Amino acid sequence: MTTANAYPVTQTIRTIGILGGGQLGMMLAEAAIPLGYQCVFLEDSADCPASLYGHVFHSEQLEAFIEAADVFTLEFENTPTATVEQLTALSKSGSKQGMFPPLIALDIAQDRLKEKQMFNSLDIATVPFMAVNSEAELKQACNELGLPIVLKTSRGGYDGKGQFVIKQDSDIKAAWQDLKDAVTGKGSLTPTPAPLIAEGFINFSREVSMIATRAQNGQVRCYDLVENHHHHGILAKTQAPAVGTSHLLKQATDAITTVMNHLDYVGVMALELFVTKDARGNDALLANEIAPRVHNSGHWSIEGAITSQFENHIRAVVNLPLGDTDNVHPAIMLNILGQYPDISAVLDIDGAHYHSYHKEERDDRKIAHITLMPNDVADLEPALAKLVATLPNKMGLEKKPSAIDSQPKVEDSLTTADPDNTVESKELAIEDSQSDKAINAKSKTEKAKK
């Protein structure tokens, strides 16, 4: 009887070890199987989504996980760097085939200050920011960046923790007292001592992201820019491609290609961006952050692109030629949060593709996604309305999305999505007259390079 491990004798990689076993790991495994590869996972939850597709090793079984795989990758950027260092060392010694993406990408993605410093060193514009190591430096940042600002831990601090919005001078002392322990690594904010980061305010009209793949030979292939809408800080909807962004495509492509080449990156990376105005009133992009992995805003590519982000990541990791990233059909991807819809009602809508993550229901938990691709593009919005009607958690999509619902979490960036210059930020009301303080974010950022 022929086993599942019937490989060509020339194939030196048979099993891919994935750090993490969530839905991203699950979808990577789904993409690996048709190419002839198996996956194993390092994950402390034995019944994780990826367990459907391969053996799950507990973190205490690291050596057994290493033994079971030929090459390694990850699905979660907060993977301990010590583990990645160990796998990198094994690859350099020749006992394993590689660890992708590289450790430097993980190190930068885990540190907001390093991340923005990297962007600026590569001449990629960001919101204005400054490093903060003391209350005196915080006062200086408030003076130079102009209020309001958001003060954050540069490491950790997700889900609303590790951040403080400073609206007026009287907030400075409280903000410093709240976050100062992160500078020394004390308390529960982060065990790694690191400066705080102060970020200034910038108006933006929408959030977009670009996903690209880089091969081991340096080839880069980019997907279309997509537009993202958030609900209570969680990605609710991605539209691919983003309408009316063709004039921004080169800037986004150049930016992500520059970052990937700089890091000698291998695999899929996402670059989150804000669409704003430059000093001349023209559309421009500001880089927010990178994700060194396959990304939620690229899930549409499973059906919507010639080669999905998941397949292209696998191809890069095992050193196969990259696939075509062209969009085959306009698509909308919706996350399913908290509660599953009636799958029959969903699939009764032409062009709906349902992906369950096999997770238990829990408030605001990502448990599935649906990609909508009706044959006629004119049916996309009507089909979306039908689809939203089937969802227990409609994520505000049953109404015209507002800037408040669409903007990212305040801890990710202090911005306001305000296409009509009439909508207030979720965290604070900001007068239109303040927007001219941050039109030229790049010039302000120069002050942070001290």
Side-chain angles (χ1 to χ4, degrees), residues 186-203:
K186 297 178 181 178
S188 60
L189 288 174
T190 170
T192 305
L196 302 175
I197 181 171
E199 293 187 2
F201 166 80
I202 193 77
N203 267 333

Side-chain angles (χ1 to χ4, degrees), residues 59-318:
S59 57
E60 295 177 354
Q61 301 172 301
L62 177 59
E63 294 305 319
F65 167 76
I66 292 172
E67 180 65 26
D70 304 304
V71 67
F72 302 95
T73 188
L74 55 85
E75 62 133 31
F76 182 50
E77 62 264 38
N78 285 320
T79 298
T81 54
T83 303
V84 177
E85 284 184 84
Q86 181 176 350
L87 298 175
T88 301
L90 290 172
S91 301
K92 288 181 178 179
S93 71
S95 61
K96 294 296 176 180
Q97 300 274 331
M99 169 67 222
F100 307 108
L103 178 62
I104 186 175
L106 208 64
D107 181 59
I108 288 174
Q110 290 180 4
D111 191 310
R112 295 181 180 92
L113 187 59
K114 287 183 181 179
E115 189 174 47
K116 284 187 166 55
Q117 289 170 336
M118 177 195 68
F119 285 140
N120 289 173
S121 73
L122 299 174
D123 201 29
I124 299 171
T126 66
V127 298
F129 70 93
M130 293 180 67
V132 171
N133 288 283
S134 66
E135 187 174 353
E137 288 185 0
L138 177 56
K139 290 178 181 178
Q140 181 184 359
C142 291
N143 289 334
E144 293 195 20
L145 298 177
L147 297 179
I149 67 167
V150 61
L151 183 68
K152 316 174 192 176
T153 58
S154 57
R155 300 180 65 87
Y158 292 93
D159 296 326
K161 299 178 181 178
Q163 56 88 20
F164 196 109
V165 178
I166 300 177
K167 307 175 189 179
Q168 52 200 7
D169 288 341
S170 59
D171 294 332
I172 293 175
K173 184 172 289 294
W176 175 250
Q177 290 298 319
D178 195 48
L179 299 181
K180 67 178 182 178
D181 284 350
V183 176
T184 57
K186 297 178 181 178
S188 60
L189 288 174
T190 170
T192 305
L196 302 175
I197 181 171
E199 293 187 2
F201 166 80
I202 193 77
N203 267 333
F204 78 97
S205 59
R206 50 181 167 162
E207 181 197 301
V208 296
S209 59
M210 171 162 278
I211 290 172
T213 315
R214 188 175 185 270
Q216 294 181 37
N217 66 4
Q219 179 192 23
V220 175
R221 286 197 154 181
C222 299
Y223 291 85
D224 280 330
L225 270 173
V226 299
E227 181 171 347
N228 302 316
H229 295 264
H230 295 78
H231 181 64
H232 297 160
I234 302 173
L235 182 64
K237 181 180 83 167
T238 294
Q239 182 154 358
V243 177
T245 57
S246 58
H247 61 302
L248 297 171
L249 190 61
K250 185 178 186 305
Q251 185 184 351
T253 300
D254 288 350
I256 197 167
T257 301
T258 297
V259 170
M260 295 178 100
N261 288 338
H262 172 72
L263 299 175
D264 196 20
Y265 194 87
V266 172
V268 165
M269 173 186 286
L271 173 62
E272 296 180 4
L273 303 144
F274 298 124
V275 180
T276 186
K277 296 289 185 182
D278 62 19
R280 297 182 179 181
N282 298 318
D283 282 346
L285 295 174
L286 297 179
N288 182 36
E289 63 183 18
I290 60 169
R293 55 173 171 79
V294 288
H295 194 258
N296 197 175
S297 68
H299 290 358
W300 63 271
S301 65
I302 296 174
E303 289 87 20
I306 293 175
T307 311
S308 77
Q309 65 164 343
F310 300 100
E311 181 177 337
N312 259 336
H313 187 79
I314 295 296
R315 289 190 186 203
V317 166
V318 300

